[in-house]
Amino acid sequence: MRTSTLMLLFATLVGVTSLAAADESAVTTKGDDKLSIPGVADVEIPENCFKEKTKVTLNKTALKETVEDFSSIYEGKDRIPYEIRINTGKTQPTCAFKLKMTVPTDFTKKSTDKNAEPALYGQEFTHTETEIYDIFQIVTADFDAKKETLSGEISPKLFTNERTNDKSYEAIVVISQDVKFTPPQQDILPLQKSEIFNDAYIVADAQFERDDFNSANPSDEKRNDIPVAFHRIKGGKGTIIALRMFDPGDTDATDDELFEKITISMEQLKPGTYIFGKDKIKAYYSRGGSAWPNAQCGYILDNGTLTIADTKDGRTAISISTEVKCNNLAPKGPFKILKLYTAKKITAKEVTPWIGKKGEHIYDETYIRKGAM
C-alpha cells in the first residue's frame, strides 16, 4: 500500500555511458527478427517496425541508478538483481516488441506472499507542463509458472531518448512482483465494508469538464484521456452527482488500492427514478487500480436506473442499479453495480481532485488525499 501522499519519481536523468556488458545480443533489421540472451530474455521484433534498417541491441545490466529509480517507488519490494535494456539507436520503434523474460527459480521460490506472483515493470518517461516523471509501471504480462517465464509486449511509449547521453532510444524492463488479480464477479471485491470508503456528493451549478466520453483511452501516454480524467467537474449550468469509492486494500500489500467513480450530470436535482440511456442525464463510470492509471475501465452508463429520494432527516439518498460492460485487461466485465448512498451537498469550489478537480498528478484523482473526504 502507498504510504506517502504521492508516490512519484522525479528521474535523475543520468545517461548510460557504459553497460555492465557481459550479456548482449544485437541485430540490424527493419523488423521480423529476434534477439536472445539465453536464460534471461527473448525479444521478437514485428515485421516493418522500422522504415530503415536499424541496429537493435538487447542488454542485461545491473546499474545502480536503475535500482535507485525502482526503489524510490517500490521501497522494500523484491526484484531480480538485473534489468534488461532494449536500445534502438536514433529511431523510436513504431510497433510493440514481444518480450519473454525468464524468472530466476530462486526468485520465485523465495516469495513468502501467496497472493503475489512475478510481474514485469517498465520504466516510463512522461512530460507534463510543469513536471517530469520517470516511473516504473507494471507491464501487462502472462506468467507461466511451469516454464518460469513472463511474456508481454513492450509498447513504443516505453522507449525514450531522455535517459541516454547519446540520445538513443531505450526501454528498461525489470522483474518484480505484483498482487494476483482476481476479476470481480459482481460489484466490488469482497472486503470488510468498514475498510472501504463509499461517498456521494451533489454539486450544484456544475457540469462535466468534458463529455466526449468515447475518446477515453486507458493507454493515453499524456494521461489526458485516461478514463478517470473524464470525472473532472467545472462550474456551469446543471447539477453533478459524484459517487466515489476507494478501497485502501491490504495493509500488508503494495499498490493494491482500488477506486471506483460514477459521475452523473442532470439539468436539475429532482427526486425520482431516471433511466440511463433514455432520460436527460449523462453518466460515466470508471474503476481500476489506483496505482495503475493506464489499466482502467471506462464506460458510458446506458442501462439501469438512478433513484433520488429525500430522507426524513433532510438528506438525499442516491441509489444506482446498472451493469458495466467494459472488458479491458483489468476489471473483466460485464459486472453489476448496485449501490445506495447518502449524498453530501457541496459547491463547485469545494470539489477536490478526488471528487472531480484536476490534480497536479493523476494519482491525486485515483487516491483519497488528506482533506478530500
Side-chain angles (χ1 to χ4, degrees):
M1 173 177 293
R2 291 174 182 266
T3 54
S4 65
T5 57
L6 187 58
M7 296 294 285
L8 295 176
L9 173 62
F10 296 87
T12 306
L13 298 178
V14 179
V16 180
T17 55
S18 62
L19 298 173
D23 297 281
E24 182 178 303
S25 177
V27 65
T28 300
T29 183
K30 287 186 178 181
D32 192 21
D33 230 318
K34 296 181 180 180
L35 295 164
S36 179
I37 299 176
V40 177
D42 295 292
V43 174
E44 290 186 22
I45 306 169
E47 189 176 2
N48 300 321
C49 202
F50 302 97
K51 291 183 178 180
E52 304 292 337
K53 283 193 173 182
T54 301
K55 183 178 180 180
V56 183
T57 306
L58 171 66
N59 284 94
K60 171 188 172 184
T61 62
L63 300 187
K64 181 180 178 181
E65 54 260 37
T66 305
V67 174
E68 292 174 348
D69 287 351
F70 187 86
S71 298
S72 294
I73 298 180
Y74 307 108
E75 184 177 0
K77 192 168 188 174
D78 287 337
R79 51 153 285 185
I80 63 174
Y82 57 84
E83 64 276 352
I84 63 115
R85 297 169 185 269
I86 307 172
N87 190 293
T88 59
K90 302 296 183 181
T91 306
Q92 185 177 26
T94 59
C95 60
F97 287 11
K98 293 182 179 180
L99 171 66
K100 180 184 288 187
M101 286 190 71
T102 301
V103 182
T105 301
D106 57 349
F107 181 77
T108 305
K109 288 182 177 180
K110 77 176 183 178
S111 175
T112 57
D113 188 350
K114 294 181 180 180
N115 294 318
E117 64 182 6
L120 292 180
Y121 287 77
Q123 194 166 2
E124 182 178 346
F125 189 93
T126 305
H127 286 277
T128 70
E129 293 180 359
T130 58
E131 297 169 316
I132 295 175
Y133 306 106
D134 205 6
I135 305 171
F136 273 97
Q137 303 253 31
I138 198 163
V139 174
T140 302
D142 295 322
F143 174 55
D144 188 324
K146 291 184 178 180
K147 296 181 180 180
E148 295 186 326
T149 58
L150 277 164
S151 300
E153 291 191 344
I154 305 305
S155 167
K157 70 181 181 180
L158 289 181
F159 287 84
T160 179
N161 62 355
E162 298 288 348
R163 295 190 202 102
T164 54
N165 284 336
D166 63 357
K167 291 297 181 181
S168 59
Y169 283 89
E170 184 176 70
I172 301 174
V173 183
V174 67
I175 293 176
S176 182
Q177 291 182 326
D178 187 41
V179 177
K180 295 178 182 177
F181 184 82
T182 304
Q185 299 301 311
Q186 181 171 333
D187 202 11
I188 190 62
L189 297 175
L191 294 172
Q192 293 292 327
K193 290 184 179 179
S194 60
E195 297 178 356
I196 300 172
F197 298 92
N198 283 289
D199 297 284
Y201 304 89
I202 297 172
V203 190
D205 300 320
Q207 64 187 55
F208 279 108
E209 184 176 282
R210 55 187 293 194
D211 58 8
D212 54 330
F213 304 123
N214 286 317
S215 64
N217 175 15
S219 61
D220 172 42
E221 293 184 34
K222 296 181 180 179
R223 301 183 179 178
N224 294 324
D225 289 334
I226 60 176
V228 73
F230 287 80
H231 294 278
R232 292 171 184 164
I233 302 165
K234 66 179 182 179
K237 296 180 180 180
T239 299
I240 288 288
I241 299 174
L243 309 179
R244 304 292 185 256
M245 183 284 298
F246 180 75
D247 176 1
D250 190 334
T251 55
D252 296 324
T254 301
D255 294 338
D256 65 333
E257 300 91 339
L258 295 172
F259 78 91
E260 180 180 63
K261 294 189 176 188
I262 302 172
T263 305
I264 304 161
S265 172
M266 56 197 317
E267 292 180 357
Q268 186 178 0
L269 187 73
K270 290 183 179 181
T273 297
Y274 302 84
I275 300 174
F276 293 118
K278 291 185 178 181
D279 292 326
K280 292 183 179 180
I281 57 174
K282 296 178 181 178
Y284 189 70
Y285 173 93
S286 67
R287 74 179 285 160
S290 299
W292 317 116
N294 294 345
Q296 297 175 359
C297 161
Y299 184 68
I300 302 170
L301 295 185
D302 59 0
N303 68 91
T305 59
L306 164 72
T307 300
I308 302 170
D310 293 330
T311 63
K312 292 181 180 180
D313 57 3
R315 296 187 294 178
T316 302
I318 306 289
S319 64
I320 183 170
S321 175
T322 187
E323 184 176 74
V324 176
K325 301 175 183 177
C326 56
N327 194 29
N328 65 328
L329 293 174
K332 297 288 185 182
F335 50 90
K336 294 180 180 179
I337 304 294
L338 180 61
K339 290 183 177 293
L340 175 64
Y341 297 85
T342 300
K344 176 183 178 181
K345 293 183 179 180
I346 62 173
T347 67
K349 291 183 178 180
E350 295 176 279
V351 171
T352 65
W354 168 244
I355 298 171
K357 179 182 177 181
K358 183 178 180 180
E360 291 185 7
H361 189 272
I362 201 67
Y363 290 145
D364 294 334
E365 300 172 49
T366 60
Y367 285 88
I368 289 180
R369 304 298 184 197
K370 184 177 180 181
M373 300 297 294

